[in-house]
Amino acid sequence: MKREKDSFTPKVLVIGALGQIGQELLLALRDRYGQDAVIGSDIRVTDEAPAPFISLDVMNRKKLFEVIEQHQINTLYNLAAILSAKGEQNPEFAWKLNMEGLLNSLEAARHTCLEKIFWPSSIAVFGPNSDKNQTPQLGIMDPTTVYGISKLAGERWCDYYSEKYDVDVRSLRYPGLIGYTSMPGGGTTDYAVEIFHEALQKGTYECFLSADTPLPMMFMPDAIKATIQIMEAPAESIRIRSSYNLGGISFTPAELVVAIQQHLPTFQCSYAPDFRQAIADSWPGSIDDSAASEDWNWQADYDLNAMTEEMLMQLSAHYASVPQP
Ligand code: NAD
C-alpha cells in the first residue's frame, strides 16, 4: 500500500461538484485546505460555480489526465454518477457513466501524479435477499437496479486496483443523504429532502414511498464528516478497499412526519407510492457500520430529531430571505 508522506498537502479535484453532495463537500474541503487547493469541476457549467472551477466530463480520460497533471492534483473525489431512480430510465447510460468515470479515476492513479481517490458507493449494493436490519458489511448482495449493479461492480474494481496496482482508493456506502443547501439528484431517498421544503412552503407533502418504508439515511454534515475522516485516516487503518458500510439514522416516512409535526403541528403528509417503492423495498432498513467505527473511529453526530430541527431552522431562514412569488 502506498504510504502517505508525512508532509502530504492535499491538492484536490472534486468531480461532480455541482451535485447534492459536491456543493457541500467543495465548501467543506475549501474551509479545511484553502480555496485554491480545491478545484471544483462538473460537466455542467453555471455562473454560480465557485472558482477555481473547470468544465470536465469524467468520461473524457485524456482531459481528466491533463487536468490532473496541469494542476498537480494528488487527491480526487469523483462524485459524478447517475443515481438509482434516474438510472432506471436509461440503464445502459447509467452503467456507462458510473463505470467509465470510476475506471478513468482509477487509471489516473496509475498513470498520473494522483495519489488518493474517494469514490462513493451506496446502500443500493444490497438487494432483496440481503439482511434487512443492521445489514452487515459482508453478506448477500443482489442489487436489482442498474445503479446498484454499477456500485457493486465499482466496489470490486476499487478492491482490484488496490490489490493489483497499490492504488489508494477509499469508499463509503452512503445511505440516503439529507441536506438543506442542495437538492437531491434523482435517488429513491429524495423524499426525505423534498418533504422539508414542502412542509415549510405548502404545509402538505405527497410522499412517493409508503408510510412504513424504513430506509437508512444520514444528515449531510455527518456524510461530509465521514468523507473527510476516511480520506485523512492513515492508509494502514483502511482495511476495506471495496467500500465501508455507513449507517446514520434509520426511519420511515411516517416517523419523519411525526418529527416534523413536533415543529409544524398542522403539517400533513399523504402517500402515493410509485416505481421507487419497489427499489426502496429491495434495500436495507438499517446498516451495521461497526467496521468503519473500528477502523477509523466513525461515529455519527445527528439523530432524527436533531436533524429535523436543524433542517427546519436552516430552511425557514432560507425561505424567509427569498422573496416569495
Ligand atoms: P447528483 O446527481 O446530485 O450530482 C452528480 C453531479 O455529477 C451533477 O452535478 C452532475 O452534473 C455531475 N455529472 C454528471 N455526469 C458527469 C460527467 N460525465 N462528468 C462530470 N460530472 C458529471 O449526485 P449526488 O447525490 O451528489 O451523489 C454523488 C455521489 O454520491 C454519486 O456517486 C452517488 O451515487 C453517491 N451517493 C449519493 C447518495 C445521495 O443520497 N445523494 C446516496 C448514496 C450514494
Side-chain angles (χ1 to χ4, degrees), residues 179-300:
Y180 50 82
T181 306
S182 49
M183 290 303 283
T188 302
T189 52
D190 290 9
Y191 91 85
V193 178
E194 294 167 4
I195 195 170
F196 285 101
H197 288 267
E198 301 219 357
L200 285 166
Q201 288 187 293
K202 297 185 191 158
T204 58
Y205 178 64
E206 186 178 273
C207 182
F208 58 75
L209 298 182
S210 67
D212 56 352
T213 309
L215 284 172
M217 303 276 189
M218 181 171 280
F219 194 31
M220 191 63 86
D222 272 336
I224 300 296
K225 181 177 102 163
T227 306
I228 293 176
Q229 205 174 327
I230 191 175
M231 286 297 275
E232 290 188 349
E236 55 274 19
S237 67
I238 309 297
R239 285 183 310 137
I240 296 172
R241 291 289 173 169
S242 51
S243 191
Y244 279 90
N245 270 6
L246 198 63
I249 322 165
S250 285
F251 56 81
T252 64
E255 287 164 344
L256 180 56
V257 169
V258 170
I260 293 173
Q261 283 170 338
Q262 284 172 18
H263 301 269
L264 302 172
T266 58
F267 171 60
Q268 290 298 325
C269 185
S270 56
Y271 299 91
D274 66 14
F275 73 100
R276 289 168 281 194
Q277 183 67 45
I279 300 177
D281 287 342
S282 75
W283 286 355
S286 61
I287 297 284
D288 172 4
D289 59 7
S290 51
S293 307
E294 283 159 23
D295 289 0
W296 41 277
N297 301 321
W298 163 244
Q299 202 183 354

Side-chain angles (χ1 to χ4, degrees), residues 14 16-32 38 50 77 79 174 177-184 193 197 218-225 227-228 310-311 314-315:
V14 180
L18 294 178
Q20 188 197 7
I21 302 169
Q23 289 181 43
E24 303 220 20
L25 185 64
L26 194 66
L27 291 176
L29 293 171
R30 284 178 175 173
D31 268 358
R32 209 162 169 83
V38 184
Y77 292 78
L79 306 176
Y174 287 137
L177 299 182
I178 300 169
Y180 50 82
T181 306
S182 49
M183 290 303 283
V193 178
H197 288 267
M218 181 171 280
F219 194 31
M220 191 63 86
D222 272 336
I224 300 296
K225 181 177 102 163
T227 306
I228 293 176
E310 184 75 12
M311 281 294 285
Q314 295 288 348
L315 288 176

Side-chain angles (χ1 to χ4, degrees), residues 92-105:
E92 211 172 328
F93 182 68
W95 171 259
K96 189 173 165 59
L97 171 60
N98 296 1
M99 284 297 94
E100 264 182 40
L102 172 60
L103 286 169
N104 287 347
S105 309

Side-chain angles (χ1 to χ4, degrees), residues 15-16 18-22 42-44 56-58 79-81 83 97 120-122 147 151 174-177 185 189:
I15 299 178
L18 294 178
Q20 188 197 7
I21 302 169
D42 204 289
I43 196 167
R44 295 183 282 141
L56 177 65
D57 178 350
V58 73
L79 306 176
L83 273 68
L97 171 60
S121 183
S122 160
Y147 175 69
K151 290 295 186 188
Y174 287 137
L177 299 182
T189 52

